[in-house]
Amino acid sequence: EVQLVESGGGLVQAGGSLRLSCALSGFTFDDYVIGWYRQVPGKEREGVSCMDGSDGSTYYKDSVRGRFTISSDNAKKTVYLQMNSLKPEDTAVYYCTIQRGPYMSSWFWDYYGMDSWGKGTLVTVSS
């Protein structure tokens, strides 16, 4: 059974940093694209960043590139999202998600195509 368990959300001031973690189990890391979506109430989910497990390539939404970094541990059991220079518009529930690879650019909007989701962790950035 696939399990994705997020942690690390919280309240931070604008300009601050948070690191989200997603504990992974029940699937083969190298066969999937693993990443983060976020959702603001009343709006559609949007892809933020992902990593192609087959080769470690990383991809980012334009508005977070240069501020967020996705990575994994050596055991490929956890994926992280380091978020720096946070802005109030980054406030959202962040979800860990996987989709069978390889990476395609549709990953960033095709949320119905994801294979599994975590329950989410709330990030609130105050101004």
Side-chain angles (χ1 to χ4, degrees):
E1 179 188 3
V2 173
Q3 288 193 330
L4 309 174
V5 181
E6 303 97 334
S7 61
L11 174 64
V12 64
Q13 288 189 330
S17 298
L18 280 176
R19 189 177 79 159
L20 306 184
S21 299
C22 178
L24 315 171
S25 62
F27 66 97
T28 302
F29 185 95
D30 291 358
D31 292 340
Y32 284 82
V33 178
I34 305 104
W36 296 88
Y37 260 67
R38 67 187 181 189
Q39 186 171 27
V40 175
K43 294 189 177 181
E44 286 193 342
R45 291 187 183 190
E46 60 176 11
V48 175
S49 178
C50 64
M51 171 184 289
D52 190 326
S54 68
D55 63 5
S57 296
T58 58
Y59 305 88
Y60 298 93
K61 175 181 173 63
D62 285 347
S63 63
V64 308
R65 188 176 291 110
R67 299 189 297 123
F68 291 10
T69 303
I70 190 169
S71 63
S72 68
D73 66 346
N74 289 337
K76 300 180 178 180
K77 293 296 186 183
T78 306
V79 166
Y80 304 100
L81 186 67
Q82 178 67 43
M83 304 186 296
N84 299 330
S85 302
L86 282 161
K87 304 176 181 180
E89 52 263 42
D90 294 317
T91 295
V93 178
Y94 284 70
Y95 296 92
C96 184
T97 185
I98 63 171
Q99 184 181 52
R100 186 168 286 273
Y103 167 79
M104 293 182 292
S105 60
S106 58
W107 184 92
F108 280 89
W109 51 264
D110 184 23
Y111 52 85
Y112 287 116
M114 297 299 143
D115 292 306
S116 190
W117 295 88
K119 295 185 184 303
T121 186
L122 176 62
V123 172
T124 304
V125 184
S126 63
S127 56

